[in-house]
Amino acid sequence: MTPVAITMMIIAMLTVWGGLALAMWNLARHPEDEDELPAPEEMPHEL
Amino acid sequence: MTSSPVGRGGTAAPARRETFSSRKLFILSAIGSAVGLGNIWRFPYVAYENGGGAFLIPYLVALLCAGIPLLFLDYSIGHRFRGSAPLSYRRLHRAAEPLGWWQVLICFIIAIYYAAIIAWAAMYAWFSITKAWGDDAEGFFFNNYLQAAGDAGLSFDFVSSVFFPMLAVWIVTIVIMVAGVNKGISRANAVFLPLLVVMFVILVVQSLFLDGAMEGLNAFFTPNWDALQNPGVWAAAFGHIFFSLSVAFGIMVTYSSYLKRKTDLTGSGMVVAFANSGFEILAGIGVFAALGFMSVTAGKPVDEVASGGIGLAFVAFPTIVSEAPFGALLGVLFFGSLVFAGLTSLISILEVIVAAFQDKLGWSRKAATLVVTIPIALISLILFPTTTGIQLLDTSDAFVNQFGILACALVTVIVVSAGLGSLPRLQKHLNRTSTVKMGAGWRILVGGVVPVALGYMLINEIQTKSTEQYSDYPAWFNGVFGWGMAGALIVGALLLSLIPWNDKSKLKDPEYDEFDALEQRDGDVDNNAVNNRDVADNNNKELQP
């Protein structure tokens, strides 16, 4: 692979997969509102 | 269901709307919907043809300026109005209901042919083990497997090797749909999506070890900067992002209507959007590594072996499977990935239709699912496992994408933004519970940039398809199954909107009234209702002596 192709590959991976990691990190910082969870007997079995 | 439809006293209480039991399951299902066949067989070729590595720039611009804003628009409508597409648009404004039915009918067309492609992929996973295509993958696919007729038309000569796998696909899908949102859709996605990712990662790793893989990646990532000056490349990026994210045809409206009231809509949407794009980058690497191997083996440059869509999946990949070390494994992984990516998308497409009829008729989940999906399966099984199935699929796919999804999306954003002026209200709704806040920029993107981009694409498509016969099929064929079908979707949508919502329908839903009251308490204001009230008040004042 040429250096320019390798550079573009790394940039593509960093922006898209980095964006995914950032989005997941943001979501993990804000857990779901527990008050809104259904009562335990209404929850489906674990998947 | 999250609660019993029958009250303790034995009297029938209204069934509560199902909700995803957790945010994680919603995200998994939404990713399952977005990651479809297009991610695997469309993105790599579109990116390669439109600038290679340089395509990343228009792609990211399109993702951030059109894809994600539109995704949030769908989320805000579905979550705020808590209904299937027709019900949500009806609650947004009485006159907007046809938009929802248009989206439902688009999903109907896609569902009937999507099942056929999943069935082909399932058979090809099996064929990979014996390499049934021998040394002529193209001839085998069209002549031996599909037994495709020479001329486009409508034949009822059934091909059993397509019919029975399609029947199996429909049975599996209907069983999942009958089980409902939590026990069916969530569970299927929680199994199929991780399976898809694992299989695809193994496929990519195996592809990277093939001879010529680096040549393939080199061709894929080498940027052609001149391409960025071509408006067609930018249109291709916007078009791809738009189709890839499953936005604006009811799916995300329907799925987000099953979210609990306090859900981080934009935070979840960012994960869905970037996961979808992340999978595409992975697919680009896997597909072009394999195409690099094909190019080295055939002694041809990569541009002569590169292809997309059906040609990539059912002609190029079988050729690679025949020649690669551990080719059978590569084939099972590739076609298995297509099956799982397709199934999770088909489920979401069908949910748009099932939810719409469930809401309008007020039926139980099971009854609505069976009454809706069995006729769809029958129509699909009559039209597509035949010797003319491939031509019908080709034309309906091309026309429903451009004059169904694209046209409907354009009309929807114009109606919601300029027509009803609902963007500020939806923006407030997004910001009430979300972590990534939307500013005026979101309204400008949805109300300005998106309609311009969609309008440009639609005009281009109308020009292309009206000046030349699509795929050189006869004019009557494209006229009936292309233009005619696309027009019939609009007429059908208007007719379905005329059917009144009866007392059992979900339009009159105490659960929604409660939800609506809480939203209004938290600051939601229906400007249309306020304006109408103001007009009425002014009229009353004028009438007073």
Side-chain angles (χ1 to χ4, degrees), chain B residues 277-289:
Chain B
S277 293
F279 192 90
E280 291 193 319
I281 297 288
L282 195 66
I285 293 171
V287 165
F288 267 83

Side-chain angles (χ1 to χ4, degrees), chain B residues 241-309:
Chain B
I241 282 290
F242 175 70
F243 292 120
S244 175
L245 271 178
S246 300
V247 283
F249 57 105
I251 295 176
M252 293 301 171
V253 170
T254 309
Y255 270 9
S256 59
S257 76
Y258 298 130
L259 279 169
K260 288 187 282 281
R261 185 169 169 260
K262 289 183 183 170
T263 299
D264 184 351
L265 294 175
T266 55
S268 306
M270 290 300 244
V271 174
V272 173
F274 276 97
N276 177 61
S277 293
F279 192 90
E280 291 193 319
I281 297 288
L282 195 66
I285 293 171
V287 165
F288 267 83
L291 287 173
F293 168 76
M294 189 176 171
S295 127
V296 166
T297 314
K300 291 177 182 171
V302 175
D303 65 323
E304 282 186 29
V305 295
S307 57

